[in-house]
Structures are given as C-alpha cells and as structure tokens.
C-alpha cells in the first residue's frame, strides 16, 4: 500500500505557523474544477500587524507545478481565509498537493494537504441533480396533459350542450 506524505521544512526561528485544510467536498475533484482550501495563519512570536507574502502551489506527485498564485496580506495575530485555485482541464487523474508557503522578513512557514483529481469514469452520478431534473420533466408533462385535456373538454362540451330559448 502506498502512503502519501509531504515534508514541510520550517525556518530555524519561524515567526508564523500555518495550517491548511481541504473540505471533504473538494478532496476529489474533476479537471477544470476549483480546489478550495481553508487556511489559518498564526503568529508564533508576537510582532503586531505585518504584511506577509503567501505563495499557493498545486504540485503533482513528481513535484511538477500544476498551478500557482501569490499574494500579500496583512496579519495581526492570526488570519483565517479561504483560497481557491482553478485546476487546468488537461490535468491527469491522480494525487496532487495543495501547498501554501508563508514568508515574512526572510523566514518561512508552510502547510499542505493532498487531494485527488478524478476522471469522468469515477465521477459518481449526482442523485440530487437527477431527481430535480426528473421532477421538472414530470411536472411539465402533467401541465401539458392537464392543458390538452381541458382544451378538449371545452371543445366537446360546447358542441353537446344545446340551449333552449323559451
């Protein structure tokens, strides 16, 4: 059995720590979907509000970069936020690592988590969407049947009813 691990190397005296969690809904996604991660940054040493550089990278099992992004945010004590990255359509099935690197004043911290890109054959049919579509079709058919029946009844009803005048 194969176990995926990621080794994170911290600076000798790191000022920040980071955690990254991929919600269960996004642990298996299709090519072209977005990967979503909840990220938390914590000051290890109290330094007050500072701007930290963040680098987000999605890598394959061989370390090849699939997609990445960078930004700078202000952090005072701690920061919690959600980051999304679009996975390219041409990505193959397999395991990928979502990695965040936090940099400030030459020091670095990081966090990562594995997720899977699945192929269409593994994309399990979503029952909730199927039920909604079936119900919509069923309701439309009922409306059509009721409309046609009422129209026919009105047409036949007029020809059979004779009015007598006194």
């Amino acid at each position: 059995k194969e176990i995926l691990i990621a080794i994170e190397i911290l600076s000798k005296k790191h000022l920040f720590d980071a955690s990254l969690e991929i919600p269960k809904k996004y642990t298996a996604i299709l090519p072209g979907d977005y990967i979503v991660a909840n990220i938390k940054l914590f000051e290890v040493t109290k330094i007050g509000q500072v701007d930290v550089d963040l680098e987000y990278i999605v890598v394959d099992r061989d370390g090849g970069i699939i997609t990445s992004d960078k930004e700078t945010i202000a952090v005072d004590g701690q920061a919690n936020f959600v980051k999304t990255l679009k996975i390219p359509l041409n990505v193959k099935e397999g395991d990928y690592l979502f990695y965040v690197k936090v940099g400030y004043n030459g020091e670095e911290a990081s966090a990562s988590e594995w997720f899977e890109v699945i192929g269409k054959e593994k994309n399990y049919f979503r029952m909730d969407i199927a039920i909604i579509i079936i119900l919509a079709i069923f309701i439309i058919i009922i409306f059509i049947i009721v409309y046609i029946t009422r129209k026919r009844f009105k047409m036949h009803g007029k020809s059979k009813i004779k009015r007598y005048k006194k």
Side-chain angles (χ1 to χ4, degrees), residues 75-87:
V75 177
D76 188 7
Q78 72 176 32
N80 300 316
F81 55 95
V82 175
K83 180 64 180 178
T84 60
L85 291 174
K86 185 168 177 72
I87 301 301

Side-chain angles (χ1 to χ4, degrees), residues 11-128:
S11 298
K12 199 171 192 178
K13 62 168 206 175
H14 62 282
L15 301 173
F16 283 93
D17 196 6
S19 71
L20 182 148
E21 179 191 358
I22 297 174
K24 189 172 183 172
K25 178 180 178 179
Y26 298 98
T27 57
I29 61 172
L30 292 170
D33 282 351
Y34 286 89
I35 183 66
V36 176
N38 298 320
I39 298 173
K40 296 179 183 176
L41 305 177
F42 306 92
E43 279 184 351
V44 175
T45 305
K46 186 70 177 158
I47 54 177
Q49 182 173 336
V50 294
D51 290 338
V52 296
D53 297 320
L54 297 170
E55 185 174 5
Y56 311 96
I57 306 168
V58 173
V59 296
D60 61 20
R61 294 175 75 163
D62 299 323
I65 296 175
I66 303 305
T67 188
S68 64
D69 192 17
K70 291 181 181 183
E71 66 181 335
T72 301
I73 66 166
V75 177
D76 188 7
Q78 72 176 32
N80 300 316
F81 55 95
V82 175
K83 180 64 180 178
T84 60
L85 291 174
K86 185 168 177 72
I87 301 301
L89 281 169
N90 62 345
V91 169
K92 296 178 183 173
E93 284 184 55
D95 297 311
Y96 293 86
L97 187 70
F98 191 124
Y99 174 81
V100 61
K101 183 169 66 172
V102 183
Y104 172 73
N105 202 23
E107 305 296 326
E108 291 183 351
S110 63
S112 61
E113 189 169 331
W114 290 97
F115 68 97
E116 182 182 11
V117 173
I118 58 175
K120 291 182 182 175
E121 63 274 358
K122 287 186 182 177
N123 184 14
Y124 304 106
F125 189 69
R126 294 192 45 165
M127 289 303 291
D128 52 349

